Amino acid sequence: IATIGGAIAGSITGFLHVKLKISNLISGILVMMGLYSVNLRIMGKSNIPLFNTNYIFKSTAVNSIFIILAIVVVVKIILDLFLKTKAGFLLTAVGDNEQVVSSLGVNKNLVKVLGLAISNGLVALAGALTAQHQGFADVTMGTGIVVMGLAAVIIGVSIFGKISFIKATTLSIFGAIIYKLVIAIALWMKLNPNDLKILTAVLVAVALAANNNVFKFKRKNRDVKSMSNKGGDGDAKDSRVMQSI
């Protein structure tokens, strides 16, 4: 039910963007503001404990980690299979170059709404699992989760992006695991919990810089500079020399 509700919310975001011509960022913010009231209407109050409720992690003797892992694997497989279909290829193409999709005679706006519905449905699924895993639902529990998701994706792409046989969905999962490991190590080192947001900001900044080849660019500059100090006798066929030219 949460997944369906999230997909509907994503469709509303897409409608605001493609039909009412509101920017994608503002559309998401408007829907998020509206969903705050919707959540309060459904919950009745800002915080609800689930201790007296049967939920997925309470009605079974299986460890919650294995349940979460199973759900992640199933969702990943379904998403990978979808991305191999015609609609999946169109969704990827719209993200890369929407003008090409329009030139093929495909309604790019419909593809955008589909993508937002799928992504927001997955977000809602994750929110439902988080609430059940923690044993309570709070109307503010999603605050800051966008940055965590961004960090997970960027870290995964930056570290494993050059490995061609790893799918994008797997990169996101690996990035989330690495991000949580870094946070766990920081807590294990008795870092002040108030500083975790700063640590997250630093991680995202470093991952973004690495993803933009900032560190690699500096290394290339040093290599070219060392060649120029030697009298410029480097091989012109060297890729680094050609790139610098």
Side-chain angles (χ1 to χ4, degrees):
I1 293 174
T3 304
I4 295 173
I8 294 174
S11 301
I12 296 174
T13 304
F15 175 80
L16 294 177
H17 176 54
V18 304
K19 293 298 182 182
L20 303 185
K21 306 302 180 182
I22 302 175
S23 66
N24 50 6
L25 179 60
I26 300 299
S27 299
I29 293 175
L30 290 175
V31 174
M32 183 177 63
M33 291 172 59
L35 288 178
Y36 189 89
S37 296
V38 172
N39 287 332
L40 285 176
R41 281 281 187 175
I42 295 174
M43 297 168 62
K45 54 184 180 179
S46 61
N47 188 290
I48 295 180
L50 304 178
F51 301 116
N52 297 325
T53 305
N54 290 327
Y55 50 91
I56 187 172
F57 300 108
K58 184 178 180 180
S59 59
T60 178
V62 181
N63 193 301
S64 59
I65 298 298
F66 296 105
I67 297 177
I68 295 174
L69 181 61
I71 294 175
V72 169
V73 171
V74 170
V75 171
K76 170 189 159 40
I77 293 174
I78 294 175
L79 192 58
D80 287 340
L81 292 175
F82 168 76
L83 291 176
K84 291 182 180 180
T85 63
K86 180 180 178 180
F89 282 120
L90 287 174
L91 184 60
T92 305
V94 167
D96 292 336
N97 193 333
E98 60 183 45
Q99 285 75 20
V100 174
V101 177
S102 298
S103 65
L104 296 175
V106 178
N107 188 349
K108 65 179 182 180
N109 292 333
L110 183 61
V111 179
K112 288 181 179 180
V113 174
L114 175 63
L116 286 167
I118 294 174
S119 61
N120 283 267
L122 293 176
V123 169
L125 173 62
L129 290 174
T130 301
Q132 296 182 50
H133 183 260
Q134 294 182 352
F136 69 93
D138 190 277
V139 72
T140 61
M141 65 192 308
T143 304
I145 200 66
V146 175
V147 177
M148 295 173 59
L150 177 65
V153 173
I154 294 175
I155 290 172
V157 172
S158 301
I159 297 178
F160 305 103
K162 294 183 179 180
I163 305 178
S164 58
F165 62 86
I166 298 182
K167 297 182 180 296
T169 51
T170 307
L171 295 178
S172 301
I173 295 172
F174 285 170
I177 294 174
I178 294 174
Y179 173 80
K180 285 298 183 181
L181 283 176
V182 171
I183 297 299
I185 292 173
L187 293 175
W188 177 74
M189 296 175 62
K190 301 190 183 305
L191 184 69
N192 191 333
N194 295 329
D195 297 334
L196 292 181
K197 294 298 183 181
I198 298 179
L199 178 61
T200 300
V202 173
L203 282 175
V204 174
V206 173
L208 281 171
N211 192 45
N212 293 331
N213 294 326
V214 172
F215 305 121
K216 186 176 181 180
F217 177 76
K218 291 181 179 180
R219 179 178 60 81
K220 286 182 178 181
N221 281 345
R222 289 196 297 268
D223 292 339
V224 174
K225 184 176 180 180
S226 63
M227 291 181 183
S228 62
N229 290 337
K230 294 179 180 178
D233 295 332
D235 187 358
K237 294 182 180 180
D238 191 294
S239 60
R240 292 190 295 268
V241 178
M242 294 302 293
Q243 289 178 8
S244 64
I245 294 175

